[in-house]
Amino acid sequence: MKPVFLIGFMGAGKTTIGKALSARLNKPVYDTDQMIERKYGKSISQIFELYGEQEFRKMETALLKEITEKSGIITTGGGIILTNENREWMKKTGDVIFLQCDFSSLWERLEGDHTRPLVYHRKKDEVESLYKNRLPLYLESATITIDTTDKTVEETVDEIIRRLNG
Ligand code: S3P
């Protein structure tokens, strides 16, 4: 099986759905943010604070290329689609599943979050424009798009499996 990348905006449930999908398919799951945190011994917030977003993006691209050598589920940070290099890499090496979700539902999960530097101290409008700017990139990157807005984790996993097999 080629790698399955889960992409989507912050709060879309990539990590949760990735774990459930991994259990159902009996495949390992890799999370780019967690691997970066482990590799550098720092939280994502600390990395943004100490080195800045650009440096984080370089780490993210390097890591993406390291993990796709294995087959499994890869849950990604919401900004993975920002570079052409990452988008092409994911499409070339695996299935890319976009977990689409209405901004209002995302915001319910994100509001007040202290762990995400691109949400912390930002107003709803600012985060919403980030979402709107990125939407075409998620759609362009995806080989499969799934609307998760009113679905449970199990329903989403069922649909992913069905679409992967279809
Ligand atoms: C980011 C999303 C985060 C994390 C970092 C930047 C983004 O991951 O990679 O804070 O640019 O959207 P999640 O999507 O898992 O929150």
Side-chain angles (χ1 to χ4, degrees):
M1 190 184 111
K2 45 184 181 171
V4 175
F5 296 96
L6 296 187
I7 64 167
F9 201 69
M10 296 172 279
K14 300 177 296 272
T15 308
T16 309
I17 290 163
K19 280 184 191 153
L21 186 63
S22 144
R24 281 277 293 280
L25 295 177
N26 199 21
K27 294 276 175 197
V29 64
Y30 305 93
D31 182 87
T32 57
D33 280 347
Q34 273 174 22
M35 291 177 87
I36 291 171
E37 290 183 328
R38 247 179 270 140
K39 187 168 170 184
Y40 295 92
K42 294 187 169 54
S43 70
I44 299 296
S45 296
Q46 286 172 322
I47 292 174
F48 267 69
E49 218 174 285
L50 289 169
Y51 313 121
E53 180 173 352
Q54 258 192 323
E55 219 31 61
F56 169 74
R57 298 296 171 204
K58 288 186 197 157
M59 297 172 178
E60 199 174 37
T61 298
L63 195 98
L64 182 67
K65 296 195 166 178
E66 278 167 35
I67 52 177
T68 47
E69 290 160 28
K70 304 159 189 162
S71 97
I73 321 297
I74 294 142
T75 58
T76 60
I80 203 90
I81 42 72
L82 291 176
T83 67
N84 198 28
E85 186 178 356
N86 293 354
R87 295 197 299 272
E88 284 185 355
W89 179 266
M90 292 190 291
K91 255 196 175 157
K92 197 174 75 187
T93 56
D95 289 300
V96 186
I97 301 184
F98 170 34
L99 302 178
Q100 188 166 23
C101 188
D102 285 354
F103 181 74
S104 53
S105 308
L106 294 171
W107 183 248
E108 276 173 27
R109 296 179 210 144
L110 292 174
E111 196 177 4
D113 187 306
H114 287 219
T115 64
R116 290 176 167 104
L118 297 181
V119 171
Y120 190 43
H121 284 149
R122 296 219 177 163
K123 294 195 191 82
K124 184 179 178 183
D125 284 2
E126 294 172 86
V127 182
E128 187 164 16
S129 20
L130 192 65
Y131 170 81
K132 284 187 179 155
N133 289 337
R134 285 180 178 184
L135 195 53
L137 297 178
Y138 292 121
L139 290 166
E140 178 197 316
S141 311
T143 53
I144 296 173
T145 295
I146 296 187
D147 190 347
T148 66
T149 308
D150 289 317
K151 291 196 183 84
T152 63
V153 172
E154 278 318 304
E155 283 166 345
T156 304
V157 168
D158 284 345
E159 186 170 343
I160 293 175
I161 293 172
R162 197 164 41 77
R163 303 270 300 271
L164 281 173
N165 292 330

